[in-house]
Amino acid sequence: MWQSSPPGSIYDYIRVASFSIGPDGLIEQWSSRAAGLFGMTSTEAVGRDPVEAFMPAELRCDGRRRVGEILDGKEWTGLVPFRIPGEGGAHGVAEVYVMPSLTGRGERAALCIVVDVRALRRIETDLAASQAIFGQSPFGFVLFGTDFAVVRANQRFATVFGGAAEDHRGRTVDDYLPRAEADRLSATLKRVLETGESVTDLQLVGTAPGDAGRRHWSMNLYRVHSGAGHPVGVAGLATDVTRRHIAAREAASARRNLALLNEASARIGNSLDLEATARELLDVAVPGFCDLAAVDLYQGLLTGEEAAPGSWAPAHRESTGGSAELRRVAHASAVADALPTAVAGSGPPGPDDLPPALGSVHRFAFGSPCAMALRSGRVEDVPGDEMGFVQSTLAVPMVAHDTVVGLVQFSRTKGSEPFGERDRALATELAARAAVCIDNARLYRREHERALILQRSLLPPGDPEAAGLDIACRYLPGNTATEVGGDWFDVIELPGHRTALVVGDVMGRGLRAAVAMGELRTAVRTLALLDLEPAEVLSALDEVARGLGSPGAGERSEGLGGSGGAQWPSRAAQKSRETDLSEVYLATCVYAVYDPVTRRCTFANAGHLPPAVVEPGRPARLIDVPPGMPLGVGGEPFEEVEVELAENALLTLYTDGLVESRDQPLDEGLDALRAVLTGPQMELEDACDHVLSTLDTRHGEDDIALLMARIQGLPVEAVGDWTLPREPRSVGRARELARDQLLSWSLDDLVDTTELLVSELVTNALRYGEGEIRLRLLRDRTLVCEVWDAGLVQPRRRRARDTDEGGRGLQLVGLLSAAWGSRRTPRGKTVWFELALPDGAPAAELSVEQLLSMY
């Protein structure tokens, strides 16, 4: 039997077999491949007639004829059907090639080569499919041999890298890729060939011939085997994914920009401070958007100049010597040892082109890109410095409400990706958001300053002074952002060295409450000057509070006809009144009047917390004053309580922000206040600070007003008090008493004036008053004279006619005194005048005009 070829050869794949026919026409030799093809062993085949063994009966006659011809020396090739072993008697077709041969004895024989036609057709199909896939594939297909040289490449691969497909045979990866990428691909090829593990989506970067742009390829690699299973190379399928990379990069850039804008929305404008807002912008931009950045704001904006929209940089200022003055308020750098921002110009920077220092005031040159950006309100490109490290800079104007408030410069260093159109749009958006926040901060600062001016104008200036009282006060607004609120306190000087102490609280917070507080405080001062009783003051103040904030005040007069006759109010007026009720300002208030002569204090309360008093050696207590209804409610009278206070007692008036919060009930707060006040005596200012620092005020939840007064009554020697009978000689007696008292006080300079004015007041009391006359002189910071009687008729100053013999007394009082007036008392009235104490300078004499004004 013939020796067959080794396993795994091409003959196995195409199913080739051989056998020989002897001179007698019988099978003489039978190969192993023939045994596998026909399913017959050599024992079964040798010595048999091949026609009888393989051919169907109907073909045997022709077969014998063919065998005879072959043995006569003729070649023959043809298709011969045969039974396929192991396939249920199925018939196959073999292509037989018969070649005549000679034996060693010179006899004719034949050698037969048999090929399975079915295997050949399969090979043809496989080759056609392989050629179609390899040659017609839209992807680059390359086959590397075991030496990693190109064995075969398709036309698509050749189209990318030039030449014909055959030209690439024998090339290596170094012929296509940069060194680093080639080494990486070579290592991958080696690993695939050794391990047989496929590699998918291997990313490679290089350039194609004639194309300077960077290209990206995705490559799949797998090992190729022979029919016997031996590795013969590595196949690679390459896809150009450059567009995908560009799209991915653009998508990543868009995501980055959206993230930056989202971060900008969260981080820019958290504070109402101009410089802080500029720093917040740079915190977002560096290094996420650029490597260097700086912000310049107009100096006029920072100094608080009131300017019309768009006039921070007037055109005539821009055209004379560059931009208007700007201040560098922020800069940031992500590059070590780098300048804070790019040079605003082109070419290498000179010594005068260094960026402005932080906080410095500067101007941009008229023709510079930065100045043009400020003038036009559009983004300008600033060329990078050729010798430095800055690649490009965007000069972006900060525009808010059509007003340019400043400029921000974004710079990228060499090695970073240059700015594109998408970056310009993002830079404009970032600058615009920051500009709006900066403009809001500017507006807030302006309103804040106005609110502070209003608040400070409504509170007593400096440390209030009062006769017989040491006073200290504190005001803490609940709205720490605006520093204005609705709590207030006041110290009002009244005639007779008396003092009105007021503490109030408008319900609500902020500027609206502060305005209402200012109106109420003004009304209190006006009512106090009328020298009304505390309950009367609160009753009048209640009427004022009910009218505050009423937009229909003017409409109420529409109910009156044009002729002046009263009519029923119109529906519009009624609706206005309903609106007024919904906008009533409610407030609480304590009004107290202290008399230093008697050390008695009269309180009236409109829904406010009770005053606290601590007397020496005794615990603090709350004064029981009927609370009444808050101001603005109306309909209920207010009650008064008169309390005599001990010398050196400490009186405390306060608002609810001091003792009440969300986490502390009012009762606990009042107990804590009493505990704090009960303690060692200390300086009044220190006592105020001690109360605020000790109590859990939760400052920021509500406004706090605190007024503390130390009781210091007038000394007995500073008071002169006499009762005079109702008779004419009391006028002379009053002059004598006043003169003696002033001489004992060493006020000799005031004797003549005081005698004259006392004589006038006592004379009026005798002429127009009733009952006994009481004369009282008080010396404190000024000299006060009071004349009391039981009459209810108030004196009225009038101009006397030329023929009148009297009627000029009150005119003298008004001309010679620093102040004068009258007030009702529970049992009559009191007329008073006040003189300033001498300071050593000669007293001013009345002018001729003042004297003639009495006639």
Side-chain angles (χ1 to χ4, degrees), residues 487-558:
D487 290 13
W488 90 93
F489 63 89
D490 208 346
V491 178
I492 307 171
E493 293 187 51
L494 300 177
H497 289 313
R498 294 171 306 132
T499 302
L501 303 176
V502 189
V503 167
D505 182 1
V506 175
M507 296 183 185
R509 297 170 63 180
L511 188 59
R512 185 173 181 269
V515 171
M517 174 269 285
E519 294 180 339
L520 290 176
R521 178 178 178 270
T522 301
V524 169
R525 279 191 160 266
T526 302
L527 295 170
L529 294 178
L530 298 177
D531 211 354
L532 302 176
E533 296 297 321
E536 294 178 321
V537 170
L538 292 186
S539 296
L541 194 61
D542 177 65
E543 294 292 333
V544 173
R546 282 191 285 170
L548 292 182
S550 300
E555 294 180 4
R556 281 192 288 269
S557 62
E558 294 177 4

Side-chain angles (χ1 to χ4, degrees), residues 639-806:
E639 301 181 38
E640 295 178 357
V641 171
E642 188 176 63
V643 178
E644 183 175 350
L645 302 174
E647 188 76 11
N648 288 324
L650 181 62
L651 177 65
T652 302
L653 305 178
Y654 52 93
T655 56
D656 57 355
L658 183 68
V659 294
E660 186 178 23
S661 67
R662 295 188 183 96
D663 301 326
Q664 178 176 262
L666 179 59
D667 292 342
E668 294 181 8
L670 292 175
D671 292 341
L673 175 63
R674 287 196 296 267
V676 171
L677 293 177
T678 302
Q681 185 170 326
M682 60 182 69
E683 294 293 331
L684 209 52
E685 295 291 335
D686 296 337
C688 277
D689 295 335
H690 177 65
V691 169
L692 292 176
S693 62
T694 304
L695 293 180
D696 185 14
T697 61
R698 299 297 176 95
H699 178 50
E701 292 185 3
D702 199 2
D703 308 326
I704 297 175
L706 176 63
L707 177 62
M708 304 184 77
R710 182 85 67 189
I711 303 301
Q712 303 287 346
L714 287 182
V716 176
E717 59 272 14
V719 180
D721 194 349
W722 306 276
T723 300
L724 302 174
R726 189 170 188 80
E727 54 188 31
R729 63 176 182 172
S730 294
V731 176
R733 178 59 180 164
R735 287 198 299 267
E736 292 175 3
L737 293 172
R739 181 176 62 252
D740 294 342
Q741 186 65 63
L742 264 61
L743 292 176
S744 67
W745 287 339
S746 300
L747 298 177
D748 303 29
D749 295 340
L750 300 181
V751 170
D752 293 339
T753 302
T754 303
E755 279 189 290
L756 175 60
L757 299 185
V758 166
S759 176
E760 290 294 336
L761 294 188
V762 174
T763 299
N764 282 345
L766 289 173
R767 182 176 298 178
Y768 304 108
E770 299 177 5
E772 291 183 332
I773 299 171
R774 182 180 176 187
L775 172 65
R776 188 166 75 168
L777 293 177
L778 307 175
R779 179 179 65 104
D780 193 68
R781 290 173 298 160
T782 61
L783 176 67
V784 174
C785 175
E786 297 177 329
V787 176
W788 305 34
D789 69 78
L792 299 177
V793 179
Q794 297 289 323
R796 181 174 60 88
R797 183 176 177 179
R798 62 184 179 86
R799 181 178 295 278
R801 292 174 295 186
D802 296 344
T803 57
D804 291 344
E805 296 183 0

Side-chain angles (χ1 to χ4, degrees), residues 252-308:
S253 176
R255 287 193 298 270
R256 182 199 65 186
N257 293 352
L258 289 175
L260 276 174
L261 289 177
N262 183 60
E263 185 180 6
S265 300
R267 298 180 59 182
I268 298 177
N270 289 327
S271 66
L272 291 172
D273 180 81
L274 300 177
E275 291 83 354
T277 302
R279 290 192 296 270
E280 290 167 353
L281 168 62
L282 299 194
D283 289 342
V284 171
V286 179
F289 177 68
C290 62
D291 302 315
L292 310 168
V295 177
D296 300 290
L297 298 180
Y298 278 117
Q299 179 71 356
L301 180 145
L302 293 169
T303 55
E305 294 180 9
E306 290 291 339

Side-chain angles (χ1 to χ4, degrees), residues 200-330:
T200 59
D201 198 22
L202 175 65
Q203 298 293 315
L204 299 172
V205 180
T207 57
D211 186 0
R214 289 161 57 91
R215 306 300 294 265
H216 295 261
W217 293 283
S218 172
M219 200 162 192
N220 297 329
L221 301 172
Y222 58 94
R223 190 169 68 181
V224 179
H225 304 85
S226 67
H230 299 300
V232 296
V234 177
L237 184 65
T239 306
D240 191 334
V241 293
T242 304
R243 292 184 179 179
R244 189 173 73 188
H245 271 262
I246 294 174
R249 186 168 64 247
E250 291 181 351
S253 176
R255 287 193 298 270
R256 182 199 65 186
N257 293 352
L258 289 175
L260 276 174
L261 289 177
N262 183 60
E263 185 180 6
S265 300
R267 298 180 59 182
I268 298 177
N270 289 327
S271 66
L272 291 172
D273 180 81
L274 300 177
E275 291 83 354
T277 302
R279 290 192 296 270
E280 290 167 353
L281 168 62
L282 299 194
D283 289 342
V284 171
V286 179
F289 177 68
C290 62
D291 302 315
L292 310 168
V295 177
D296 300 290
L297 298 180
Y298 278 117
Q299 179 71 356
L301 180 145
L302 293 169
T303 55
E305 294 180 9
E306 290 291 339
S311 61
W312 295 113
H316 70 277
R317 293 172 63 186
E318 290 279 356
S319 60
T320 55
S323 67
E325 288 186 341
L326 299 105
R327 187 193 304 170
R328 177 64 49 91
V329 295

Side-chain angles (χ1 to χ4, degrees), residues 343-508:
V343 176
S346 60
D352 297 331
D353 294 328
L354 292 177
L358 184 64
S360 64
V361 178
H362 64 95
R363 297 174 184 265
F364 290 113
F366 178 77
S368 65
C370 293
M372 289 189 289
L374 289 170
R375 287 196 301 273
S376 65
R378 295 190 297 270
V379 181
E380 295 288 341
D381 291 311
V382 181
D385 51 304
E386 298 176 359
M387 301 176 62
F389 57 86
V390 175
Q391 177 175 241
S392 62
T393 297
L394 294 179
V396 187
M398 306 177 72
V399 183
H401 310 300
D402 297 327
T403 300
V404 179
V405 299
L407 183 81
V408 57
Q409 298 179 66
F410 301 109
S411 301
R412 287 182 179 173
T413 58
K414 293 182 178 178
S416 298
E417 185 177 354
F419 290 114
E421 286 302 318
R422 197 186 301 271
D423 295 321
R424 291 169 66 92
L426 177 60
T428 302
E429 180 66 22
L430 288 175
R433 294 194 180 199
V436 170
C437 295
I438 286 175
D439 194 54
N440 290 341
R442 176 185 67 83
L443 295 174
Y444 161 77
R445 184 177 64 183
R446 185 185 67 185
E447 297 304 318
H448 184 207
E449 291 174 352
R450 292 177 178 177
L452 285 180
I453 292 173
L454 170 64
Q455 182 78 55
R456 291 164 183 166
S457 68
L458 297 177
L459 295 175
D463 297 327
E465 295 182 357
L469 291 175
D470 291 334
I471 297 176
C473 49
R474 295 289 186 273
Y475 174 76
L476 299 177
N479 190 342
T480 56
T482 60
E483 297 186 17
V484 295
D487 290 13
W488 90 93
F489 63 89
D490 208 346
V491 178
I492 307 171
E493 293 187 51
L494 300 177
H497 289 313
R498 294 171 306 132
T499 302
L501 303 176
V502 189
V503 167
D505 182 1
V506 175
M507 296 183 185

